Amino acid sequence: MMLATRRQLAEAGVLGINRRNARFTLPCNPRKYYPRVDDKEQTKQLAQEAGIAVPPLYGVLHIERQVRDLARQVAPYADFVIKPAQGSGGNGIVVITGRTGSGYRLVNGVTLDERELAHHASNVLSGMYSLGGQPDKALIEYRVQFDPVFAGISYQGVPDIRIINYLGVPVMAMIRLPTQRSRGRANLHQGAIGAGVDLATGTTLHAVQDNAMVTMHPDTGNAITGITIPYWDQILALAARCYELTGLGYQGADFVLDSERGPLLLELNARPGLNIQIANHAGLLPRLRQVERSGAHVRGYEQRVGFAKRAFAHKEA
């Protein structure tokens, strides 16, 4: 797919960004609902009201004056995460894995002192990492302890599971695996691995890093394909319910799998990327059209998930 011609991409049903915006994002995602996904604090509140588990929130910094109280706010927690409420692409996220005296240890072993951590929080508030560069909030939240099933295929960071939903029907999924080159982040543009996932079984299929197919994790040497994600049916159901949660017809739902808390909704995206098609060796367009023809989107979330598992199960070429 990556070296295919324009005609071959069209025949494979690959969705491009212009068509995504014109045909799906703009007509299916009312602008008034964007704050529900662009503001992670608001997403958390909506999810909790709907009974969908999220990483617990320890605190929120709204204004610069509150930064002076940051050390006291995080004092009860050995580890935690600070992230921009309106960030994107993983930028501005600091993961504290422990303490070293009065310092805060990052996932890569580097230590920040109180002044450096406060400086980062100030940068978040200034809008340095937010969509459009607007002033932002800094969320302080629970640090996810990833499920042991991912220990052999992840470097330092936490893998996340991206599911694309169209009109409440899960249509495609992938898991993003942190690497040394991505500095432990699960962002594909920073060097993480994307592995397609069979919607019927939750088993990993093909995997890519940048524009190259990979079968082994470059840092651990372990096979990436053939791994079944625990709680798969539960994750699919949660993803489908996000349609009612936000009112957005085309969205990406990102989940993490915590070793003690199970699946947690990490965030939602009204403009999810399209490289999920590369990871799955499949185009989105045929699936989106199949959802429209089926009428599955008018049913309840359990029926929508059942339809997705039947219609989009992986078939050997």
Side-chain angles (χ1 to χ4, degrees), residues 196-213:
V197 178
D198 178 13
L199 276 183
T201 65
T203 303
T204 53
L205 301 169
H206 324 283
V208 294
Q209 185 180 32
D210 298 325
N211 290 322
M213 300 302 302

Side-chain angles (χ1 to χ4, degrees), residues 53-258:
V54 296
L57 186 64
Y58 294 158
V60 183
L61 304 179
H62 295 88
I63 56 176
E64 182 66 28
R65 180 166 52 81
Q66 295 173 319
V67 174
R68 284 179 277 173
D69 198 36
L70 176 59
R72 187 192 64 78
Q73 280 207 48
V74 300
Y77 310 109
D79 54 358
F80 56 90
V81 175
I82 295 180
K83 63 167 60 172
Q86 299 182 64
S88 65
N91 296 319
I93 298 175
V94 165
V95 180
I96 303 299
T97 62
R99 305 294 185 96
T100 54
S102 61
Y104 303 93
R105 187 174 60 248
L106 302 177
V107 68
N108 61 3
V110 172
T111 300
L112 302 181
D113 60 26
E114 286 188 10
R115 183 186 59 81
E116 291 170 318
L117 190 67
H119 181 67
H120 178 76
S122 293
N123 285 339
V124 171
L125 295 181
S126 74
M128 178 178 289
Y129 308 107
S130 70
L131 293 165
Q134 299 299 312
D136 202 355
K137 298 173 285 188
L139 308 186
I140 308 167
E141 67 177 29
Y142 168 79
R143 175 186 168 230
V144 173
Q145 310 294 322
F146 68 76
D147 191 283
V149 73
F150 301 130
I153 54 171
S154 181
Y155 179 81
Q156 292 188 341
V158 179
D160 68 20
I161 301 156
R162 158 70 57 87
I163 298 177
I164 301 291
N165 291 301
Y166 181 48
L167 303 177
V169 180
V171 293
M172 196 169 282
M174 72 172 170
I175 182 168
R176 298 181 291 196
L177 306 169
T179 65
Q180 184 176 27
R181 192 154 66 79
S182 72
R183 295 182 296 171
R185 299 178 184 224
N187 298 100
L188 301 190
H189 68 279
Q190 294 177 331
I193 292 170
V197 178
D198 178 13
L199 276 183
T201 65
T203 303
T204 53
L205 301 169
H206 324 283
V208 294
Q209 185 180 32
D210 298 325
N211 290 322
M213 300 302 302
V214 293
T215 57
M216 317 287 281
H217 194 285
D219 306 311
T220 68
N222 292 315
I224 296 169
T225 58
I227 294 174
T228 299
I229 298 172
Y231 305 100
W232 183 244
D233 286 352
Q234 185 179 344
I235 294 170
L236 279 183
L238 292 171
R241 290 175 59 195
C242 289
Y243 180 38
E244 285 81 7
L245 188 74
T246 65
L248 299 178
Y250 186 88
Q251 63 182 332
D254 295 346
F255 295 89
V256 289
L257 201 52
D258 187 82

Side-chain angles (χ1 to χ4, degrees), residues 29-47 84-87 131 136-137 139 242 245-248 251 265-271:
N29 291 353
R31 193 74 191 174
K32 63 182 179 181
Y33 295 150
Y34 272 51
R36 296 177 178 180
V37 299
D38 286 347
D39 184 335
K40 295 177 179 61
E41 183 184 19
Q42 192 172 149
T43 303
K44 277 181 181 288
Q45 292 170 346
L46 287 171
Q86 299 182 64
L131 293 165
D136 202 355
K137 298 173 285 188
L139 308 186
C242 289
L245 188 74
T246 65
L248 299 178
Q251 63 182 332
L265 175 63
L266 193 62
E267 63 182 60
L268 296 168
N269 194 319
R271 320 161 192 82

